[in-house]
């Protein structure tokens, strides 16, 4: 159990840092990525939060795949945890750890 906590705490922190750093790098390379010209001659600019959120969802998909493999190894079938992980990697990993702890304590009947 401690190995999962170490592994996923490092992965969650690095994923959070990666999404913000990658947003900065993308905006340095393509500064006009989130800006478009309107028909009346004005400009519309989106905030970098949109790009950060998009990158976080891509990282969340990687977490879903990772948790699916771990669940398969632990013989756990909990699709709601994977769905939750897609929307929030932190909450998904937290609930995964709860499910693993619950299974290992032997409180569930098989």
């Amino acid at each position: 159990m401690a190995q999962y906590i170490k592994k996923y705490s490092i992965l969650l922190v690095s994923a959070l840092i990666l999404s913000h750093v990658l947003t900065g790098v993308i905006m340095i390379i393509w500064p006009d990525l989130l800006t478009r010209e309107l028909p009346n001659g004005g400009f519309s600019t989106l905030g970098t939060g949109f790009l950060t959120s998009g990158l976080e969802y891509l990282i969340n998909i990687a977490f879903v795949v990772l948790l699916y493999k771990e669940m398969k190894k632990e013989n756990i079938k909990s699709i709601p945890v994977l769905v939750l992980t897609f929307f929030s990697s932190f909450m998904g990993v937290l609930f995964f750890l709860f499910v693993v702890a619950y299974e290992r304590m032997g409180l569930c009947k098989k």
Side-chain angles (χ1 to χ4, degrees):
M1 186 70 182
Q3 69 199 18
Y4 285 143
I5 294 173
K6 287 178 189 176
K7 175 182 178 180
Y8 284 109
S9 63
I10 291 170
L11 283 174
L12 284 170
V13 169
S14 61
L16 181 68
I17 292 170
L18 178 70
S19 68
H20 284 82
V21 168
L22 204 54
T23 299
V25 169
I26 289 172
M27 291 310 296
I28 289 172
I29 294 172
W30 295 295
D32 295 334
L33 179 68
L34 300 175
T35 305
R36 68 182 184 122
E37 189 174 351
L38 299 174
N40 62 1
F43 289 96
S44 173
T45 304
L46 296 174
T48 57
F50 287 101
L51 187 58
T52 304
S53 295
L55 290 173
E56 284 177 0
Y57 278 117
L58 289 175
I59 291 171
N60 288 351
I61 291 171
F63 272 105
V64 167
V65 171
L66 240 147
L67 285 181
Y68 177 73
K69 289 181 180 181
E70 294 286 346
M71 288 175 148
K72 211 171 188 183
K73 198 182 330 177
E74 290 284 334
N75 199 16
I76 298 171
K77 294 178 178 72
S78 181
I79 301 300
V81 171
L82 297 176
V83 172
L84 181 62
T85 305
F86 174 73
F87 293 107
S88 171
S89 59
F90 176 74
M91 292 303 292
V93 168
L94 185 67
F95 275 88
F96 167 72
L97 293 173
F98 286 150
V99 169
V100 169
Y102 184 77
E103 290 281 330
R104 288 191 179 174
M105 286 176 48
L107 297 175
C108 61
K109 297 177 184 176
K110 290 187 178 184

